[in-house]
Amino acid sequence: MPTLFTRIISGEIPCHKVHEDERYFSFLDIRPVAPGHALVIPKDETDRFFDLSPHLLEGILPFAQQVASALEKEVRCDRVGLMVAGLEVPRLDEPLVGLR
């Protein structure tokens, strides 16, 4: 059965997409801790960050950097922070949050 995030990526569940490429997907969190709170996820279903292939691991930060740059243009903030999480949904995510 597909996870919540897989259903978001497929368009089955609507979201406010920030950025997407062939390997990763980013969208705004439905319960943001700050304006511009976005999630960055690999399109492959992976439950643990360090279970990602080296290929996906080496690409996720440059993708997140593109998302951060887009957020800084749209959301008033002094900086964008990053954390690796994945406790609520059985799939990893990297929240990016604009900080004031």
Side-chain angles (χ1 to χ4, degrees):
M1 182 165 145
T3 66
L4 173 69
F5 288 167
T6 298
R7 293 172 64 204
I8 290 170
I9 292 168
S10 73
E12 182 181 339
I13 296 174
C15 73
H16 294 283
K17 181 170 58 171
V18 176
H19 187 52
E20 175 181 19
D21 69 12
E22 66 280 348
R23 297 183 297 171
Y24 311 103
F25 192 88
S26 177
F27 57 98
L28 295 178
D29 196 295
I30 61 170
R31 292 187 195 101
V33 297
H37 180 175
L39 303 178
V40 171
I41 59 173
K43 288 185 174 178
D44 289 344
E45 285 193 18
T46 304
D47 192 23
R48 294 176 177 87
F49 187 76
F50 291 109
D51 287 345
L52 285 173
S53 70
H55 178 66
L56 285 175
L57 276 174
E58 73 183 18
I60 200 161
L61 284 178
F63 180 86
Q65 186 177 39
Q66 293 173 15
V67 172
S69 178
L71 289 174
E72 287 178 324
K73 291 176 184 169
E74 297 297 323
V75 178
R76 188 176 128 104
C77 62
D78 292 332
R79 66 186 70 212
V80 174
L82 171 92
M83 81 176 213
V84 177
L87 303 175
E88 298 81 15
V89 176
R91 183 179 169 135
L92 70 91
D93 60 271
E94 285 194 38
L96 294 171
V97 180
L99 301 175
R100 294 176 195 239

Coordinates of all heavy atoms in Angstrom, one line a residue:
M1 N 0.8 -1.2 0.0 CA 0.0 0.0 0.0 C 0.9 1.2 0.0 O 1.8 1.3 0.8 CB -0.9 0.0 1.2 CG -1.8 1.1 1.3 SD -3.1 0.8 2.6 CE -3.3 2.4 3.2
P2 N 0.6 2.2 -0.9 CA 1.4 3.4 -1.0 C 1.3 4.2 0.3 O 0.3 4.3 0.9 CB 0.9 4.2 -2.2 CG -0.2 3.3 -2.8 CD -0.4 2.2 -1.9
T3 N 2.5 4.9 0.6 CA 2.5 5.8 1.8 C 1.8 7.1 1.5 O 1.5 7.4 0.3 CB 3.9 6.1 2.2 OG1 4.5 6.9 1.2 CG2 4.7 4.9 2.5
L4 N 1.5 7.9 2.5 CA 0.9 9.2 2.3 C 1.7 10.0 1.3 O 1.2 10.7 0.4 CB 0.9 9.9 3.7 CG 0.4 11.4 3.7 CD1 -1.1 11.5 3.3 CD2 0.6 12.0 5.0
F5 N 3.1 10.1 1.5 CA 3.9 10.9 0.6 C 3.9 10.4 -0.9 O 3.9 11.1 -1.8 CB 5.3 10.9 1.1 CG 5.5 11.8 2.3 CD1 6.7 11.7 3.1 CD2 4.5 12.6 2.8 CE1 6.8 12.5 4.2 CE2 4.6 13.4 3.9 CZ 5.8 13.3 4.6
T6 N 3.8 9.0 -1.1 CA 3.7 8.5 -2.4 C 2.4 8.9 -3.1 O 2.4 9.3 -4.2 CB 3.8 7.0 -2.4 OG1 5.1 6.6 -1.8 CG2 3.7 6.4 -3.8
R7 N 1.3 9.0 -2.3 CA 0.0 9.4 -2.8 C 0.1 10.9 -3.1 O -0.6 11.4 -4.1 CB -1.0 9.1 -1.8 CG -1.2 7.6 -1.6 CD -2.2 7.2 -0.5 NE -3.5 7.7 -0.8 CZ -4.4 7.9 0.2 NH1 -4.1 7.7 1.4 NH2 -5.6 8.4 -0.1
I8 N 0.8 11.7 -2.4 CA 1.0 13.1 -2.7 C 1.8 13.3 -4.0 O 1.4 14.1 -4.9 CB 1.7 13.9 -1.5 CG1 0.8 14.0 -0.3 CG2 2.2 15.3 -2.0 CD1 1.4 14.5 1.0
I9 N 2.9 12.6 -4.1 CA 3.7 12.6 -5.3 C 2.9 12.3 -6.6 O 3.0 12.9 -7.6 CB 4.9 11.7 -5.2 CG1 5.9 12.3 -4.2 CG2 5.7 11.6 -6.6 CD1 7.0 11.3 -3.8
S10 N 2.0 11.3 -6.5 CA 1.2 10.8 -7.6 C 0.1 11.7 -7.9 O -0.5 11.6 -9.0 CB 0.7 9.4 -7.3 OG -0.4 9.4 -6.4
G11 N -0.2 12.7 -7.1 CA -1.3 13.6 -7.3 C -2.6 13.2 -6.7 O -3.6 13.9 -6.8
E12 N -2.6 12.0 -6.1 CA -3.9 11.5 -5.5 C -4.3 12.3 -4.3 O -5.5 12.5 -4.1 CB -3.6 10.0 -5.0 CG -4.8 9.3 -4.4 CD -4.5 7.9 -3.9 OE1 -3.5 7.3 -4.4 OE2 -5.2 7.5 -3.1
I13 N -3.4 12.9 -3.6 CA -3.6 13.8 -2.5 C -3.0 15.2 -2.9 O -1.9 15.2 -3.3 CB -3.0 13.4 -1.2 CG1 -3.6 12.0 -0.7 CG2 -3.1 14.4 -0.1 CD1 -3.0 11.4 0.5
P14 N -3.8 16.2 -2.9 CA -3.3 17.5 -3.4 C -2.3 18.1 -2.4 O -2.3 17.8 -1.2 CB -4.6 18.4 -3.4 CG -5.6 17.8 -2.5 CD -5.2 16.3 -2.5
C15 N -1.4 18.9 -3.0 CA -0.4 19.6 -2.2 C 0.0 20.9 -2.9 O -0.4 21.2 -4.0 CB 0.8 18.7 -2.0 SG 1.8 18.6 -3.5
H16 N 0.7 21.7 -2.2 CA 1.3 22.9 -2.8 C 2.8 22.6 -3.1 O 3.6 22.7 -2.3 CB 1.2 24.1 -1.8 CG -0.2 24.6 -1.6 ND1 -0.9 25.3 -2.5 CD2 -1.0 24.3 -0.5 CE1 -2.1 25.5 -2.0 NE2 -2.2 24.9 -0.8
K17 N 3.0 22.1 -4.4 CA 4.3 21.7 -4.8 C 5.2 22.9 -4.9 O 4.9 24.0 -5.4 CB 4.2 21.0 -6.1 CG 5.5 20.5 -6.6 CD 5.4 19.6 -7.8 CE 4.8 20.2 -9.0 NZ 4.8 19.4 -10.2
V18 N 6.5 22.7 -4.4 CA 7.5 23.8 -4.5 C 8.4 23.5 -5.6 O 8.8 24.4 -6.4 CB 8.3 23.9 -3.1 CG1 9.4 24.9 -3.2 CG2 7.4 24.2 -2.0
H19 N 8.9 22.2 -5.7 CA 9.9 21.9 -6.8 C 9.8 20.4 -6.9 O 9.5 19.6 -6.0 CB 11.3 22.3 -6.3 CG 12.3 22.2 -7.3 ND1 12.2 22.6 -8.6 CD2 13.5 21.6 -7.3 CE1 13.3 22.4 -9.3 NE2 14.2 21.7 -8.5
E20 N 10.2 19.9 -8.2 CA 10.2 18.5 -8.5 C 11.2 18.2 -9.6 O 11.4 19.0 -10.5 CB 8.8 18.1 -8.9 CG 8.7 16.6 -9.4 CD 7.3 16.3 -9.8 OE1 6.5 17.2 -10.2 OE2 7.0 15.1 -9.9
D21 N 11.9 17.1 -9.5 CA 12.7 16.6 -10.6 C 12.4 15.1 -10.7 O 11.5 14.6 -10.1 CB 14.2 17.0 -10.5 CG 14.9 16.3 -9.4 OD1 14.4 15.3 -8.8 OD2 16.1 16.7 -9.1
E22 N 13.3 14.4 -11.4 CA 13.0 12.9 -11.6 C 13.2 12.1 -10.4 O 12.7 11.0 -10.2 CB 13.9 12.4 -12.8 CG 15.4 12.4 -12.5 CD 16.0 13.7 -12.8 OE1 15.4 14.7 -13.3 OE2 17.2 13.9 -12.4
R23 N 14.0 12.6 -9.4 CA 14.3 11.8 -8.2 C 13.7 12.3 -6.9 O 13.5 11.6 -5.9 CB 15.8 11.8 -8.0 CG 16.6 11.1 -9.1 CD 18.0 11.0 -8.8 NE 18.7 12.3 -8.7 CZ 19.9 12.5 -8.3 NH1 20.7 11.6 -8.0 NH2 20.4 13.8 -8.3
Y24 N 13.3 13.6 -6.8 CA 12.9 14.2 -5.6 C 11.7 15.1 -5.8 O 11.4 15.5 -6.9 CB 14.0 15.1 -5.0 CG 15.3 14.5 -4.9 CD1 16.3 14.7 -5.8 CD2 15.6 13.5 -3.9 CE1 17.6 14.1 -5.8 CE2 16.8 12.9 -3.9 CZ 17.8 13.2 -4.8 OH 19.0 12.5 -4.8
F25 N 11.0 15.4 -4.7 CA 9.7 16.1 -4.7 C 9.7 17.0 -3.4 O 10.1 16.6 -2.4 CB 8.6 15.2 -4.6 CG 7.2 15.8 -4.9 CD1 6.8 15.9 -6.2 CD2 6.4 16.2 -3.9 CE1 5.5 16.4 -6.5 CE2 5.2 16.8 -4.2 CZ 4.7 16.8 -5.5
S26 N 9.3 18.2 -3.6 CA 9.2 19.2 -2.4 C 7.8 19.8 -2.4 O 7.3 20.2 -3.5 CB 10.3 20.2 -2.5 OG 10.1 21.1 -1.5
F27 N 7.2 20.0 -1.3 CA 5.9 20.6 -1.1 C 5.8 21.2 0.2 O 6.6 20.9 1.2 CB 4.8 19.5 -1.3 CG 4.9 18.4 -0.4 CD1 4.1 18.3 0.8 CD2 5.7 17.3 -0.6 CE1 4.2 17.2 1.7 CE2 5.8 16.2 0.2 CZ 5.0 16.2 1.4
L28 N 4.8 22.2 0.4 CA 4.6 22.9 1.6 C 4.0 21.9 2.7 O 3.1 21.2 2.3 CB 3.8 24.1 1.4 CG 4.4 25.2 0.6 CD1 3.4 26.4 0.4 CD2 5.7 25.7 1.1
D29 N 4.4 22.0 3.9 CA 3.9 21.2 5.0 C 2.5 21.7 5.3 O 2.2 22.9 5.3 CB 4.8 21.3 6.2 CG 4.5 20.3 7.3 OD1 3.4 20.3 7.8 OD2 5.4 19.5 7.5
I30 N 1.5 20.8 5.6 CA 0.2 21.2 6.0 C 0.1 21.7 7.4 O -0.9 22.4 7.7 CB -0.9 20.1 5.7 CG1 -0.5 18.9 6.6 CG2 -0.9 19.7 4.3 CD1 -1.6 17.8 6.6
R31 N 1.1 21.5 8.2 CA 1.1 22.1 9.6 C 2.5 22.8 9.8 O 3.3 22.3 10.5 CB 1.0 20.9 10.6 CG -0.4 20.3 10.6 CD -0.6 19.4 11.8 NE -1.8 18.5 11.5 CZ -1.8 17.3 11.1 NH1 -0.6 16.7 10.8 NH2 -2.9 16.6 10.9
P32 N 2.7 23.9 9.1 CA 4.0 24.5 9.1 C 4.3 25.1 10.5 O 3.5 25.6 11.2 CB 3.8 25.7 8.1 CG 2.4 26.0 8.1 CD 1.7 24.6 8.3
V33 N 5.6 25.0 10.8 CA 6.1 25.6 12.1 C 6.5 27.1 11.8 O 6.7 27.8 12.8 CB 7.3 24.8 12.7 CG1 6.8 23.4 13.1 CG2 8.5 24.8 11.7
A34 N 6.6 27.4 10.5 CA 6.9 28.8 10.1 C 6.5 28.9 8.7 O 6.4 27.9 8.0 CB 8.5 29.1 10.3
P35 N 6.3 30.2 8.2 CA 5.9 30.4 6.8 C 7.0 29.8 5.9 O 8.2 29.9 6.2 CB 5.9 31.9 6.7 CG 5.6 32.4 8.1 CD 6.3 31.4 9.0
G36 N 6.5 29.1 4.9 CA 7.5 28.5 3.9 C 8.0 27.1 4.3 O 8.8 26.5 3.6
H37 N 7.5 26.5 5.4 CA 7.9 25.2 5.9 C 7.6 24.2 4.7 O 6.4 23.9 4.4 CB 7.1 24.8 7.1 CG 7.5 23.5 7.7 ND1 7.0 23.1 8.9 CD2 8.2 22.5 7.3 CE1 7.4 21.9 9.2 NE2 8.2 21.5 8.2
A38 N 8.6 23.6 4.2 CA 8.5 22.7 3.0 C 9.2 21.4 3.4 O 10.1 21.4 4.2 CB 9.1 23.3 1.8
L39 N 8.7 20.3 2.7 CA 9.3 19.0 2.9 C 10.0 18.7 1.6 O 9.5 19.0 0.5 CB 8.3 18.0 3.2 CG 7.4 18.2 4.5 CD1 6.4 17.1 4.6 CD2 8.3 18.3 5.7
V40 N 11.2 18.0 1.7 CA 11.9 17.5 0.5 C 12.0 16.0 0.7 O 12.4 15.5 1.8 CB 13.3 18.1 0.5 CG1 14.2 17.4 -0.6 CG2 13.3 19.6 0.2
I41 N 11.5 15.2 -0.3 CA 11.5 13.8 -0.2 C 12.0 13.1 -1.4 O 11.8 13.7 -2.5 CB 10.1 13.2 0.2 CG1 9.0 13.6 -0.9 CG2 9.6 13.7 1.5 CD1 7.7 13.0 -0.7
P42 N 12.6 12.0 -1.3 CA 12.9 11.2 -2.5 C 11.6 10.6 -3.1 O 10.7 10.3 -2.3 CB 13.9 10.2 -2.1 CG 13.6 10.0 -0.6 CD 13.1 11.3 -0.1
K43 N 11.6 10.4 -4.4 CA 10.4 9.8 -4.9 C 10.3 8.3 -4.6 O 9.3 7.7 -4.6 CB 10.3 10.0 -6.4 CG 10.0 11.5 -6.8 CD 9.8 11.7 -8.2 CE 9.3 13.1 -8.5 NZ 9.1 13.3 -10.0
D44 N 11.5 7.7 -4.4 CA 11.5 6.3 -4.0 C 11.1 6.2 -2.6 O 11.5 7.0 -1.7 CB 12.9 5.7 -4.1 CG 13.4 5.5 -5.6 OD1 12.6 5.5 -6.5 OD2 14.6 5.4 -5.8
E45 N 10.2 5.2 -2.3 CA 9.8 5.0 -0.9 C 11.0 4.5 -0.1 O 11.5 3.4 -0.3 CB 8.6 4.0 -0.8 CG 7.3 4.6 -1.3 CD 6.1 3.8 -0.9 OE1 6.2 2.9 -0.1 OE2 5.1 4.0 -1.5
T46 N 11.4 5.3 0.9 CA 12.5 4.9 1.7 C 12.2 5.3 3.1 O 11.8 6.5 3.4 CB 13.8 5.5 1.3 OG1 14.1 5.2 0.0 CG2 15.0 5.1 2.2
D47 N 12.2 4.4 4.1 CA 11.8 4.7 5.5 C 12.9 5.4 6.3 O 12.6 6.1 7.2 CB 11.4 3.4 6.1 CG 10.6 3.6 7.5 OD1 10.1 4.7 7.7 OD2 10.6 2.7 8.3
R48 N 14.1 5.1 6.0 CA 15.3 5.6 6.8 C 16.2 6.4 5.9 O 16.6 5.9 4.8 CB 16.0 4.5 7.5 CG 15.1 3.8 8.6 CD 15.8 2.7 9.2 NE 15.0 2.1 10.2 CZ 14.1 1.1 10.0 NH1 13.9 0.7 8.8 NH2 13.4 0.7 11.1
F49 N 16.7 7.5 6.3 CA 17.5 8.4 5.5 C 18.8 7.7 5.1 O 19.1 7.7 3.9 CB 17.9 9.6 6.3 CG 18.6 10.7 5.6 CD1 18.0 11.5 4.6 CD2 20.0 10.8 5.7 CE1 18.7 12.4 3.9 CE2 20.7 11.8 5.0 CZ 20.0 12.6 4.1
F50 N 19.4 7.0 6.0 CA 20.7 6.3 5.6 C 20.5 5.0 4.8 O 21.5 4.3 4.5 CB 21.6 6.2 6.8 CG 22.1 7.5 7.3 CD1 21.6 8.1 8.5 CD2 23.0 8.3 6.5 CE1 22.0 9.3 8.9 CE2 23.4 9.6 6.9 CZ 22.9 10.1 8.1
D51 N 19.3 4.6 4.6 CA 19.0 3.5 3.7 C 18.9 4.0 2.2 O 18.8 3.1 1.3 CB 17.7 2.8 4.0 CG 17.8 2.0 5.3 OD1 19.0 1.7 5.8 OD2 16.8 1.6 5.9
L52 N 19.0 5.3 2.0 CA 19.0 5.8 0.6 C 20.2 5.3 -0.1 O 21.3 5.2 0.5 CB 19.0 7.3 0.6 CG 17.6 8.0 0.9 CD1 17.9 9.5 1.0 CD2 16.6 7.7 -0.1
S53 N 20.2 5.1 -1.4 CA 21.3 4.7 -2.1 C 22.3 5.9 -2.1 O 21.9 7.1 -1.9 CB 21.0 4.4 -3.6 OG 20.6 5.6 -4.3
P54 N 23.6 5.6 -2.3 CA 24.6 6.7 -2.3 C 24.2 7.8 -3.4 O 24.4 8.9 -3.2 CB 25.9 6.0 -2.6 CG 25.8 4.7 -2.1 CD 24.3 4.3 -2.3
H55 N 23.7 7.3 -4.5 CA 23.3 8.2 -5.6 C 22.2 9.2 -5.1 O 22.3 10.4 -5.4 CB 22.7 7.3 -6.8 CG 22.2 8.1 -7.9 ND1 23.1 8.9 -8.7 CD2 21.0 8.2 -8.4 CE1 22.3 9.5 -9.7 NE2 21.1 9.1 -9.5
L56 N 21.2 8.7 -4.4 CA 20.1 9.6 -3.9 C 20.7 10.5 -2.8 O 20.3 11.6 -2.6 CB 18.9 8.8 -3.4 CG 18.0 8.2 -4.5 CD1 16.9 7.3 -3.9 CD2 17.4 9.3 -5.3
L57 N 21.5 9.9 -1.9 CA 22.1 10.7 -0.8 C 22.9 11.9 -1.4 O 22.8 13.0 -0.9 CB 23.0 9.9 0.1 CG 22.3 9.1 1.2 CD1 23.4 8.2 1.9 CD2 21.6 9.9 2.2
E58 N 23.7 11.7 -2.4 CA 24.5 12.8 -2.9 C 23.7 13.8 -3.7 O 24.1 14.9 -3.8 CB 25.6 12.2 -3.8 CG 25.2 11.7 -5.2 CD 26.3 11.1 -6.0 OE1 27.4 10.8 -5.4 OE2 26.1 11.0 -7.2
G59 N 22.5 13.5 -4.1 CA 21.7 14.5 -4.8 C 20.6 15.2 -4.0 O 20.1 16.2 -4.4
I60 N 20.3 14.7 -2.8 CA 19.2 15.3 -2.0 C 19.6 16.7 -1.5 O 18.7 17.6 -1.5 CB 18.7 14.4 -0.9 CG1 17.3 14.8 -0.5 CG2 19.6 14.3 0.3 CD1 16.5 13.8 0.2
L61 N 20.8 17.0 -1.1 CA 21.2 18.3 -0.6 C 21.2 19.3 -1.7 O 20.7 20.4 -1.5 CB 22.5 18.3 0.2 CG 22.3 17.7 1.6 CD1 23.7 17.7 2.3 CD2 21.3 18.5 2.4
P62 N 21.8 19.0 -2.9 CA 21.7 20.0 -4.0 C 20.2 20.3 -4.4 O 19.9 21.5 -4.7 CB 22.5 19.4 -5.1 CG 23.4 18.5 -4.5 CD 22.7 17.9 -3.3
F63 N 19.4 19.3 -4.3 CA 17.9 19.6 -4.6 C 17.3 20.5 -3.5 O 16.6 21.4 -3.8 CB 17.2 18.2 -4.7 CG 15.7 18.4 -4.9 CD1 15.2 18.5 -6.2 CD2 14.8 18.4 -3.9 CE1 13.9 18.7 -6.5 CE2 13.4 18.6 -4.1 CZ 13.0 18.7 -5.4
A64 N 17.6 20.1 -2.2 CA 17.1 21.0 -1.1 C 17.7 22.4 -1.2 O 17.0 23.3 -0.9 CB 17.5 20.3 0.2
Q65 N 18.9 22.6 -1.8 CA 19.4 23.9 -2.0 C 18.6 24.7 -3.0 O 18.4 25.9 -2.8 CB 20.9 23.8 -2.4 CG 21.6 25.1 -2.5 CD 23.1 24.9 -3.0 OE1 23.4 24.0 -3.8 NE2 23.9 25.7 -2.4
Q66 N 18.1 24.0 -4.0 CA 17.3 24.7 -5.0 C 15.9 25.1 -4.3 O 15.4 26.2 -4.6 CB 17.0 23.8 -6.2 CG 18.2 23.5 -7.0 CD 17.9 22.4 -8.1 OE1 16.8 22.1 -8.3 NE2 19.0 21.9 -8.6
V67 N 15.4 24.2 -3.5 CA 14.2 24.5 -2.8 C 14.4 25.7 -1.9 O 13.6 26.6 -1.8 CB 13.6 23.3 -2.0 CG1 12.4 23.7 -1.2 CG2 13.3 22.2 -3.0
A68 N 15.5 25.7 -1.1 CA 15.8 26.8 -0.2 C 15.9 28.1 -0.9 O 15.4 29.2 -0.5 CB 17.1 26.5 0.6
S69 N 16.5 28.1 -2.1 CA 16.7 29.3 -2.9 C 15.3 29.8 -3.3 O 15.0 31.0 -3.2 CB 17.5 29.0 -4.1 OG 17.6 30.2 -4.9
A70 N 14.4 28.9 -3.7 CA 13.1 29.3 -4.1 C 12.3 29.9 -3.0 O 11.6 30.9 -3.1 CB 12.3 28.1 -4.7
L71 N 12.4 29.3 -1.8 CA 11.7 29.7 -0.6 C 12.2 31.1 -0.2 O 11.4 32.0 0.2 CB 11.9 28.8 0.6 CG 11.2 27.4 0.5 CD1 11.6 26.5 1.7 CD2 9.7 27.6 0.5
E72 N 13.5 31.4 -0.3 CA 14.0 32.7 0.1 C 13.5 33.8 -0.8 O 13.4 34.9 -0.4 CB 15.5 32.7 0.1 CG 16.1 31.9 1.2 CD 17.6 31.8 1.2 OE1 18.2 31.7 0.1 OE2 18.2 31.8 2.3
K73 N 13.1 33.5 -2.0 CA 12.6 34.5 -2.9 C 11.1 34.8 -2.7 O 10.6 35.8 -3.0 CB 12.7 34.0 -4.4 CG 14.2 34.0 -4.9 CD 14.3 33.4 -6.2 CE 15.8 33.3 -6.6 NZ 16.0 32.5 -7.8
E74 N 10.4 33.8 -2.1 CA 9.0 34.0 -1.9 C 8.6 34.2 -0.4 O 7.5 34.8 -0.2 CB 8.3 32.7 -2.3 CG 8.4 32.4 -3.8 CD 7.8 33.5 -4.7 OE1 6.7 34.0 -4.3 OE2 8.4 33.8 -5.7
V75 N 9.4 33.8 0.5 CA 9.0 34.0 2.0 C 10.0 34.9 2.6 O 11.3 34.7 2.5 CB 9.0 32.6 2.6 CG1 8.7 32.7 4.1 CG2 8.1 31.6 2.0
R76 N 9.6 35.8 3.3 CA 10.5 36.8 4.0 C 11.1 36.0 5.2 O 10.4 35.6 6.1 CB 9.7 38.0 4.5 CG 10.5 39.1 5.1 CD 9.6 40.2 5.4 NE 9.8 40.6 6.8 CZ 10.4 41.7 7.1 NH1 10.9 42.5 6.2 NH2 10.6 42.0 8.4
C77 N 12.4 35.8 5.1 CA 13.1 35.1 6.2 C 14.6 35.5 6.1 O 15.1 35.9 5.1 CB 13.0 33.6 6.1 SG 13.6 32.9 4.6
D78 N 15.3 35.4 7.3 CA 16.7 35.7 7.3 C 17.6 34.5 6.8 O 18.6 34.7 6.3 CB 17.1 36.1 8.7 CG 16.5 37.4 9.2 OD1 16.3 38.3 8.3 OD2 16.3 37.5 10.4
R79 N 17.0 33.3 7.0 CA 17.8 32.1 6.6 C 16.8 31.0 6.5 O 15.7 31.0 7.1 CB 18.9 31.8 7.6 CG 18.5 31.4 9.0 CD 19.6 31.3 10.0 NE 20.1 32.6 10.2 CZ 21.4 32.8 10.5 NH1 22.2 31.8 10.6 NH2 21.8 34.0 10.8
V80 N 17.3 29.9 5.8 CA 16.5 28.7 5.7 C 17.3 27.6 6.5 O 18.5 27.4 6.3 CB 16.3 28.3 4.3 CG1 15.6 26.9 4.2 CG2 15.5 29.4 3.5
G81 N 16.6 26.9 7.4 CA 17.2 25.8 8.1 C 16.8 24.5 7.5 O 15.8 24.4 6.8
L82 N 17.5 23.4 7.9 CA 17.3 22.1 7.4 C 17.4 21.1 8.5 O 18.3 21.2 9.4 CB 18.3 21.8 6.3 CG 18.4 20.3 5.8 CD1 17.5 20.2 4.6 CD2 19.8 19.9 5.5
M83 N 16.5 20.1 8.5 CA 16.7 19.0 9.5 C 16.2 17.7 8.8 O 15.3 17.8 7.9 CB 15.9 19.3 10.8 CG 14.5 19.0 10.7 SD 13.8 19.2 12.4 CE 12.5 18.0 12.4
V84 N 16.7 16.6 9.2 CA 16.3 15.3 8.6 C 15.4 14.8 9.7 O 15.7 14.7 10.9 CB 17.5 14.4 8.4 CG1 17.0 13.0 8.0 CG2 18.5 15.0 7.4
A85 N 14.1 14.4 9.2 CA 13.1 13.9 10.1 C 12.5 12.7 9.4 O 12.9 12.3 8.3 CB 12.1 14.9 10.5
G86 N 11.4 12.2 10.0 CA 10.7 11.1 9.4 C 10.1 10.2 10.5 O 10.0 9.0 10.3
L87 N 9.5 10.8 11.5 CA 9.0 10.0 12.6 C 7.5 9.9 12.5 O 6.9 8.9 12.9 CB 9.3 10.7 13.9 CG 10.8 10.9 14.2 CD1 11.1 11.7 15.4 CD2 11.6 9.6 14.2
E88 N 6.8 10.8 11.9 CA 5.3 10.8 11.8 C 4.8 9.9 10.7 O 3.9 9.2 10.8 CB 4.7 12.2 11.7 CG 5.0 13.1 12.9 CD 6.4 13.7 12.8 OE1 7.0 13.7 11.7 OE2 6.9 14.2 13.8
V89 N 5.5 10.1 9.5 CA 5.1 9.3 8.3 C 6.1 8.3 8.1 O 7.3 8.6 8.2 CB 4.9 10.2 7.1 CG1 4.6 9.5 5.8 CG2 3.9 11.3 7.3
P90 N 5.8 7.0 7.8 CA 6.8 6.0 7.6 C 7.5 6.1 6.3 O 7.4 5.3 5.4 CB 6.0 4.7 7.7 CG 4.6 5.1 7.2 CD 4.4 6.5 7.7
R91 N 8.1 7.3 6.2 CA 8.9 7.6 5.0 C 9.7 8.8 5.4 O 9.2 9.7 6.1 CB 8.0 7.9 3.8 CG 8.8 8.2 2.6 CD 7.7 8.4 1.5 NE 8.4 8.9 0.3 CZ 8.2 8.5 -0.9 NH1 7.3 7.6 -1.1 NH2 8.9 9.0 -1.9
L92 N 11.0 8.9 4.9 CA 11.8 10.1 5.4 C 11.4 11.4 4.7 O 10.8 11.4 3.6 CB 13.3 9.8 5.1 CG 13.8 9.7 3.7 CD1 14.2 11.1 3.3 CD2 14.9 8.7 3.6
D93 N 11.8 12.5 5.3 CA 11.6 13.8 4.7 C 12.6 14.7 5.3 O 13.2 14.5 6.4 CB 10.2 14.3 5.0 CG 9.8 14.5 6.4 OD1 9.3 13.5 7.0 OD2 10.1 15.6 7.0
E94 N 12.9 15.8 4.6 CA 13.8 16.9 5.0 C 13.0 18.2 5.0 O 12.8 18.8 4.0 CB 15.0 17.0 4.0 CG 16.0 15.9 4.1 CD 17.2 16.3 3.4 OE1 17.6 17.5 3.4 OE2 17.8 15.4 2.8
P95 N 12.6 18.6 6.2 CA 11.9 19.9 6.3 C 12.8 21.1 6.1 O 13.9 21.1 6.6 CB 11.3 19.9 7.7 CG 11.4 18.5 8.2 CD 12.5 17.9 7.5
L96 N 12.4 22.0 5.3 CA 13.1 23.3 5.1 C 12.2 24.4 5.7 O 11.1 24.5 5.3 CB 13.4 23.5 3.7 CG 14.4 22.6 3.0 CD1 14.4 22.8 1.5 CD2 15.8 22.7 3.5
V97 N 12.7 25.1 6.6 CA 11.9 26.1 7.2 C 12.6 27.5 7.2 O 13.8 27.6 7.5 CB 11.6 25.8 8.7 CG1 10.8 26.8 9.4 CG2 11.0 24.4 8.8
G98 N 11.9 28.5 6.7 CA 12.4 29.9 6.7 C 12.4 30.4 8.1 O 11.4 30.3 8.8
L99 N 13.6 30.9 8.5 CA 13.7 31.4 9.9 C 13.9 32.9 9.9 O 14.6 33.4 9.1 CB 14.9 30.7 10.6 CG 14.9 29.2 10.7 CD1 16.2 28.6 11.2 CD2 13.7 28.7 11.5
R100 N 13.3 33.5 10.9 CA 13.5 35.0 11.0 C 14.5 35.3 12.0 O 14.7 34.7 12.9 CB 12.1 35.6 11.4 CG 11.1 35.4 10.3 CD 9.8 36.0 10.7 NE 8.8 35.4 9.8 CZ 8.0 36.2 9.0 NH1 8.0 37.4 9.1 NH2 7.2 35.6 8.2

